[in-house]
């Protein structure tokens, strides 16, 4: 859990000044695959971003809707005036501009308009990316069921058993009144305000086993995009974000939705597209589906050290064709670009870059290759 205050905060708070597109700001959503796959941005508003926490929606079969992430919840909680007024502010993050009901209304629009499923028929299947408050909270789920009118009886909340106690925390700071802001506290970042009711606690369904390995399949579900696989992420002992983090893989469309805001993750085929739980979705790369014939061999470009702190080294193997390296941050904004020649190396200083996850795209003559870069403290 100690990664939460370093990499995760860096990822979430890189900037509050960059802009989303006008369509994103107006609609509060991005279309990834029409009428099948969408993302709602929690934390978006006032023509700027406080640090997005994404809510992904995939249209399932038989009126099921698979939701990955709950966003930030409400701006204010229910604690007394002399206590922190909401989870987000207490744990050191800026309050979101929108409340849970606003995120839920956008989700409702996608389900009814884009998925063509009525509220009465829809079966909401919520998968918890990991147990922190910006990805699971009763405020969002209650907004959908108790306020908007989705069928509460059909709701399921899936969570890996390793994060069940964290996510279902139902007391202020889960009883740790001495050091609630200590990020070594196993309940650091746990949702509690508003507290879960017994009705929603009973909706939790535990996935997997305590000793599940990285990329262990803990659940599958059928969608209009084919079979999706819920896979275990890295545990904290191996550099992961929480012990119960999960990812969603779709082999048919070759994408992964990562369930961790920071830390090491399990291996994913570098030719796949990766969507993150934080930050705007860079869907242009996904929509331009590269065939295997247009991929640069992954071993031609080496990046070291990785993870890195102060400097990145890029080397292109002998015999390869010259190309261009472009580096993007987790929000898809270009950070650097330079030419890389065969047999040559380039050194780039990254000491002043915010810590977090970046993508390096190598391209030449219409071919491309992508590698993930991690910057650590």
């Amino acid at each position: 859990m100690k990664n939460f205050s370093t990499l995760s905060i860096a990822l979430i708070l890189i900037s509050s000044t960059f802009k989303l597109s006008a369509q994103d700001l107006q609609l509060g959503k991005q279309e990834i695959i029409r009428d099948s796959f969408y993302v709602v941005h929690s934390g978006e508003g006032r023509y700027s971003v406080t640090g997005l926490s994404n809510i992904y929606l995939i249209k399932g079969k038989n009126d099921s809707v698979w939701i990955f992430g709950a966003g930030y919840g409400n701006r204010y909680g229910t604690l007394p005036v002399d206590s922190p007024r909401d989870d987000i502010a207490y744990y050191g993050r800026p309050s979101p501009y929108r409340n849970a009901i606003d995120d839920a209304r956008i989700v409702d629009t996608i389900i009814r308009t884009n998925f063509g499923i009525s509220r009465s028929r829809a079966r909401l299947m919520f998968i918890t990316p990991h147990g922190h408050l910006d990805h699971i909270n009763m405020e969002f789920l209650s907004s959908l069921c108790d306020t908007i009118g989705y069928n509460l009886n059909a709701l399921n909340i899936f969570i890996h058993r390793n994060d069940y106690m964290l996510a279902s925390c139902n007391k202020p700071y889960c009883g740790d009144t001495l050091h609630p802001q200590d990020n070594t506290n196993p309940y650091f970042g746990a949702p509690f305000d508003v507290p879960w009711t017994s009705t929603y606690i009973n909706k939790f369904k535990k996935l997997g086993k305590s000793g599940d390995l990285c990329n262990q399949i803990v659940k599958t579900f059928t969608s209009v995009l084919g079979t999706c696989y819920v896979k275990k992420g890295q545990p904290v002992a191996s550099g992961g974000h929480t012990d119960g983090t999960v990812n969603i893989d779709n082999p048919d469309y070759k994408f992964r939705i990562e369930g961790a805001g920071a830390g090491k993750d399990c291996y994913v085929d570098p030719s796949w597209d990766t969507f993150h739980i934080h930050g705007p979705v860079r869907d242009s790369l996904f929509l331009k589906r590269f065939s295997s014939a247009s991929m640069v061999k992954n071993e031609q470009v080496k990046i070291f050290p990785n993870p890195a702190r102060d400097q990145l080294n890029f080397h292109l193997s002998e015999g390869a064709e010259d190309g261009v390296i472009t580096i993007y941050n987790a929000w898809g904004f270009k950070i650097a670009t330079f030419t890389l020649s065969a047999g040559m190396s380039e050194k780039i200083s990254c000491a002043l870059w915010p810590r977090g996850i970046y993508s390096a795209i190598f391209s030449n003559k219409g071919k491309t290759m992508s590698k993930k870069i991690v910057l650590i403290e």
Side-chain angles (χ1 to χ4, degrees), residues 264-281:
K264 294 181 180 179
D265 210 337
C266 305
Y267 173 83
V268 62
D269 189 316
S271 69
W272 284 30
D273 291 283
T274 301
F275 300 103
H276 299 281
I277 204 68
H278 288 294
V281 172

Side-chain angles (χ1 to χ4, degrees), residues 6-72:
T6 54
L7 291 181
S8 184
I9 294 296
L11 275 170
I12 297 166
L13 301 180
I14 285 178
S15 174
S16 61
T17 59
F18 57 82
K19 312 298 185 191
L20 292 177
S21 71
Q23 181 182 20
D24 289 334
L25 285 167
Q26 180 181 359
L27 300 179
K29 67 181 181 182
Q30 277 181 270
E31 178 182 275
I32 304 175
I33 301 178
R34 178 165 294 181
D35 298 334
S36 304
F37 186 18
Y38 288 80
V39 59
V40 174
H41 304 302
S42 182
E44 168 198 295
R46 298 184 189 175
Y47 302 99
S48 65
V49 183
T50 62
L52 300 183
S53 178
N54 289 320
I55 304 167
Y56 289 92
L57 290 93
I58 298 176
K59 182 179 180 181
K61 294 293 186 69
N62 301 319
D63 295 329
S64 62
V65 177
W66 296 87
I67 304 175
F68 192 60
Y72 285 108

Side-chain angles (χ1 to χ4, degrees), residues 34-252:
R34 178 165 294 181
D35 298 334
S36 304
F37 186 18
Y38 288 80
V39 59
V40 174
H41 304 302
S42 182
E44 168 198 295
R46 298 184 189 175
Y47 302 99
S48 65
V49 183
T50 62
L52 300 183
S53 178
N54 289 320
I55 304 167
Y56 289 92
L57 290 93
I58 298 176
K59 182 179 180 181
K61 294 293 186 69
N62 301 319
D63 295 329
S64 62
V65 177
W66 296 87
I67 304 175
F68 192 60
Y72 285 108
N74 289 340
R75 297 177 65 182
Y76 300 108
T78 58
L79 295 180
V81 175
D82 59 350
S83 298
R85 295 191 66 190
D86 65 279
D87 292 349
I88 304 297
Y90 186 84
Y91 286 103
R93 302 186 186 185
S95 294
Y97 291 126
R98 291 201 300 254
N99 284 318
I101 184 61
D102 303 310
D103 291 332
R105 286 184 177 127
I106 299 171
V107 167
D108 172 50
T109 298
I110 293 171
I111 293 173
R112 292 186 297 109
T113 304
N114 300 105
F115 290 175
I117 305 174
S118 68
R119 294 169 182 165
S120 60
R121 291 182 8 242
R123 298 184 299 119
L124 303 185
M125 304 292 168
F126 181 82
I127 299 176
T128 309
H130 64 270
H132 287 148
L133 58 95
D134 50 343
H135 304 297
I136 179 171
N137 56 76
M138 199 183 82
E139 296 155 324
F140 173 73
L141 296 171
S142 177
S143 293
L144 284 170
C145 295
D146 300 326
T147 304
I148 295 178
Y150 281 87
N151 186 354
L152 179 59
N153 293 327
L155 172 69
N156 286 288
I157 305 172
F158 298 99
I159 184 164
H160 195 277
R161 65 177 57 249
N162 290 348
D163 269 15
Y164 171 75
M165 295 302 295
L166 170 66
S168 61
C169 165
N170 220 21
K171 297 178 181 179
Y173 328 120
C174 288
D176 184 0
T177 56
L178 295 178
H179 306 288
Q181 289 182 291
D182 179 5
N183 67 345
T184 62
N185 172 8
Y187 292 101
F188 182 80
F192 62 81
D193 188 19
V194 296
W196 296 99
T197 63
S198 58
T199 299
Y200 283 88
I201 287 289
N202 291 334
K203 296 293 180 180
F204 279 75
K205 297 184 183 301
K206 299 176 186 177
L207 301 177
K209 301 177 181 178
S210 59
D212 283 336
L213 301 177
C214 210
N215 277 334
Q216 180 84 38
I217 298 173
V218 296
K219 184 175 180 57
T220 63
F221 63 89
T222 304
S223 76
V224 295
L225 304 179
T227 301
C228 294
Y229 297 84
V230 182
K231 295 183 178 180
K232 178 68 171 60
Q234 287 279 18
V236 172
S238 299
H241 196 51
T242 71
D243 284 333
T245 295
V246 296
N247 305 313
I248 295 180
D249 282 4
N250 183 295
D252 292 303

